[in-house]
Amino acid sequence: MGTDMKEKIKISGLSKKLGGRMILNGLDLTIYEGETFVLLGQSGIGKSVLLKHIIGLFLPDKGKIYIDSELFDPQDPKSLKKVRKKCGMLFQGGALFDSLSVGENITFALDHLRPDLSQEEKQRKVQISLDLVELEGKEDLPIASLSGGMMKRVALARAIVAEPEIVLFDEPTTGLDPIMVTTIDELILSIKRKLNTTFVVVTHDLYSARSIADRVGLIFNGRIVFTGSAPDIEKSENPYIHQFVNGIPSGPLTA
Amino acid sequence: MSSVKPNYITGKIKYFFNELFTFVKFSLNAFRHVPHNIRYPLEFFRAMYEIGVKTLPIILLTGFFTGMILGLELSDTFEAIIAGTSQFIGAALSVGLLKELGPVLTALIVVSRVCSSVTAKLGTMRVTEQIDALQTFAVDPVDFLVTPRVMAGIVSVPVLSAMSISIAFLGGWLMVTVGFEVDNSLFWEMAQFPLKLYFVWESVTKSAVIGGVVLLISTYMGFHTRGGAEGVGKATIRSVVTSSLMVIVLDYLIGTAYILAY
């Protein structure tokens, strides 16, 4: 990635200890405006923890996060509110409110992130976001009646409805069948083309990474040990990414 | 073995005080959001409906049968000792129901019906990341999920308690006047005789404090749930056990404080 691209998220020296274990250990990472950055890594290695730091769900023990070159202080309510307006997040299990319908789930996000909008405008935005995830006309369905793939799509619609500048995806294809994985990947690509936002995707699904990534990073031992373009991951001689991509049990990546 | 035990006990004591400190912080945070919930009371009304209106039928049913059985057992026992003493049962019923049984019974039913479901719901929201999702929409989860429920507990438990006392008294009155043929006017005269105004304040204080505390405990347990479905189950058990224990402890403490004060 060249120097002509604007830095959207800059993480510097981020450290976090959870349950006595160092999950992030002085992690540095820069994500550029408009790119889809896919973060790979083994299960339980700290990928989701990193995402949750970007949106202020975790407080760092050490280190700094800059968004649009502004220091993000999750303990400052103003800074937190600003970042949460800029970021949407798709959670691993969808995290949909099961007492609300599909439409109400999406409207809920707008009610709190964009209280300035009129009811009609909110309705219009809900329709647009449902159209984007190919769920038009499903707003009255209860959450309990949705399949896993539909839940992910509703969660995606909810994450993008307030038109965030950054969308964070936590394992968007986990637990889905291969056809649904491709559908979700295509949706991510199509939404990316239409909205031109910055996407940060956390996954251990190489198939998805190859399909959607502009750039790929690999996290291990609390640090980023590889970054490169999507085609780079196949031909890279970096021992970490080589081991990960080829699924070799022995090597520098240990369980 | 002997070196493990002191560490274990120290660990448990540390854990207790750590938990207590977190609970106090959580409670203060919940009360900090009261003004906001008064200005935007939608969630408060929803919680009132869940805690108050939906619990009313079971409160009325248990209250009525409690009054009847109290009337029956007390009259039967009194009559067995000295014939004709069932005419004094009105006094025992009015004091017992107003000061003790009404608030405690209502609170225990609220714990079993409401606190368990509040902990299970919030616990499920925690483990399925719904609480995290709320935060990403710039919603303070304590303001949205905890404060309205605690406020509803403080307001609705005294009202439920008053209804329970009334219906229990009605049940007792029916049993004593019909079953033991005590004169109606004598029953009412006896019922009013020992009553003092502070009994009412004591009853309201107990219900309001217990209502607030048990809802704080159940929301706290739900909020701090860890570890999937098993974690939700464990949190619900802890919530019901701790809340039930607190009902009895607070009833004793507030009752003693009123007796000392008057």
Side-chain angles (χ1 to χ4, degrees):
Chain A
M1 268 300 140
T3 47
D4 53 328
M5 290 196 73
K6 191 186 159 202
E7 287 176 357
K8 192 71 182 170
I9 304 166
K10 186 175 163 66
I11 299 165
S12 164
L14 190 68
S15 295
K16 181 75 179 176
K17 208 173 192 177
L18 286 172
R21 209 180 119 217
M22 205 65 170
I23 304 290
L24 304 176
N25 190 7
L27 183 141
D28 297 311
L29 177 66
T30 304
I31 295 165
Y32 297 96
E33 189 169 62
E35 74 168 337
T36 299
F37 183 84
V38 174
L39 183 64
L40 295 169
Q42 296 151 281
S43 298
I45 207 81
K47 305 184 294 291
S48 303
V49 173
L50 176 61
L51 275 196
K52 288 182 178 181
H53 274 92
I54 296 174
I55 202 164
L57 289 171
F58 276 134
L59 297 177
D61 293 339
K62 259 195 263 174
K64 290 184 167 67
I65 297 173
Y66 298 88
I67 292 178
D68 287 327
S69 305
E70 260 183 64
L71 179 66
F72 169 37
D73 177 5
Q75 285 183 301
D76 170 21
K78 270 188 187 168
S79 176
L80 191 62
K81 199 163 189 174
K82 203 170 174 184
V83 165
R84 289 195 172 152
K85 280 195 171 181
K86 278 188 182 178
C87 296
M89 181 159 177
L90 184 143
F91 288 86
Q92 197 170 345
L96 297 170
F97 306 126
D98 39 22
S99 56
L100 305 179
S101 68
V102 166
E104 287 166 343
N105 259 281
I106 303 168
T107 312
F108 184 92
L110 273 183
D111 284 342
H112 292 90
L113 291 169
R114 298 292 306 274
D116 53 309
L117 296 178
S118 67
Q119 252 347 87
E120 293 74 33
E121 188 63 13
K122 282 179 192 165
Q123 274 309 312
R124 201 179 65 79
K125 283 188 182 292
V126 170
Q127 295 303 330
I128 292 170
S129 63
L130 279 172
D131 287 353
L132 279 171
V133 297
E134 296 165 10
L135 282 176
E136 55 275 12
K138 307 279 190 211
E139 52 268 52
D140 294 329
L141 285 181
I143 296 303
S145 70
L146 303 180
S147 66
M150 283 169 94
M151 277 196 197
K152 292 268 177 169
R153 284 192 277 164
V154 175
L156 180 52
R158 192 178 65 173
I160 59 171
V161 71
E163 295 165 7
E165 294 170 27
I166 301 162
V167 184
L168 310 171
F169 297 79
D170 190 1
E171 309 272 8
T173 54
T174 296
L176 300 178
D177 64 75
I179 296 167
M180 192 47 71
V181 168
T182 311
T183 310
I184 295 287
D185 287 345
E186 282 172 2
L187 270 178
I188 291 174
L189 286 169
S190 123
I191 292 167
K192 178 79 193 328
R193 276 194 296 271
K194 286 172 190 159
L195 303 180
N196 197 33
T197 46
T198 307
F199 282 0
V200 184
V201 183
V202 148
T203 185
H204 41 62
D205 183 342
L206 280 170
Y207 175 81
S208 281
R210 288 187 192 104
S211 314
I212 60 175
D214 293 321
R215 252 181 355 123
V216 175
L218 180 70
I219 182 171
F220 179 66
N221 264 354
R223 290 167 188 261
I224 301 293
V225 291
F226 168 83
T227 52
S229 67
D232 283 350
I233 62 172
E234 310 297 342
K235 52 189 186 216
S236 171
E237 287 178 14
N238 177 300
Y240 296 98
I241 197 73
H242 179 76
Q243 185 193 349
F244 190 83
V245 168
N246 294 293
I248 303 165
S250 58
L253 299 178
T254 48
Chain B
M1 196 72 182
S2 59
S3 64
V4 174
K5 270 187 179 171
N7 282 347
Y8 176 78
I9 294 165
T10 318
K12 283 279 174 194
I13 292 169
K14 260 189 190 169
Y15 174 78
F16 172 77
F17 281 106
N18 191 30
E19 192 90 337
L20 187 66
F21 177 69
T22 319
F23 177 73
V24 170
K25 247 175 44 177
F26 177 84
S27 306
L28 292 175
N29 193 15
F31 283 110
R32 197 169 58 86
H33 294 291
V34 169
H36 181 254
N37 271 273
I38 291 171
R39 281 201 303 278
Y40 304 99
L42 184 64
E43 289 307 313
F44 167 68
F45 289 136
R46 276 193 189 139
M48 281 288 287
Y49 179 73
E50 281 296 320
I51 296 167
V53 178
K54 284 190 167 177
T55 315
L56 189 58
I58 185 79
I59 291 282
L60 293 179
L61 200 67
T62 49
F64 186 70
F65 281 102
T66 304
M68 294 243 290
I69 194 69
L70 263 181
L72 175 67
E73 294 289 357
L74 286 174
S75 300
D76 197 46
T77 310
F78 275 41
E79 287 291 334
I81 299 167
I82 307 170
T85 46
S86 59
Q87 61 188 317
F88 301 117
I89 296 305
L93 277 177
S94 64
V95 176
L97 286 171
L98 183 62
K99 286 184 72 177
E100 294 303 325
L101 262 179
V104 171
L105 197 67
T106 305
L108 288 174
I109 291 167
V110 167
V111 167
S112 62
R113 197 204 154 271
V114 177
C115 294
S116 53
S117 84
V118 164
T119 305
K121 177 164 184 169
L122 266 57
T124 306
M125 287 185 78
R126 169 61 76 194
V127 299
T128 57
E129 296 183 308
Q130 290 177 51
I131 292 180
D132 288 345
L134 272 179
Q135 287 178 277
T136 65
F137 305 137
V139 175
D140 185 322
V142 172
D143 180 32
F144 189 71
L145 297 171
V146 178
T147 309
R149 286 178 167 87
V150 174
M151 282 169 62
I154 293 171
V155 175
S156 59
V157 175
V159 176
L160 287 173
S161 181
M163 289 182 170
S164 170
I165 292 164
S166 308
I167 199 88
F169 198 73
L170 183 74
W173 169 77
L174 259 179
M175 182 53 71
V176 175
T177 54
V178 177
F180 290 84
E181 295 175 349
V182 169
D183 180 66
N184 188 35
S185 57
L186 185 64
F187 177 86
W188 286 107
E189 196 183 321
M190 282 296 128
Q192 290 169 50
F193 181 70
L195 289 184
K196 291 175 181 147
L197 187 62
Y198 88 81
F199 289 3
V200 177
W201 301 128
E202 182 180 336
S203 184
V204 172
T205 310
K206 277 181 179 173
S207 300
V209 172
I210 290 173
V213 169
V214 295
L215 262 303
L216 270 173
I217 292 170
S218 54
T219 48
Y220 173 82
M221 297 288 184
F223 226 71
H224 293 84
T225 301
R226 294 282 178 274
E230 197 190 347
V232 175
K234 281 182 180 167
T236 308
I237 293 170
R238 281 180 67 198
S239 164
V240 171
V241 171
T242 315
S243 300
S244 305
L245 188 69
M246 284 312 292
V247 169
I248 309 298
V249 171
L250 286 170
D251 175 56
Y252 169 75
L253 290 177
I254 298 168
T256 309
Y258 265 92
I259 285 172
L260 290 174
Y262 289 90

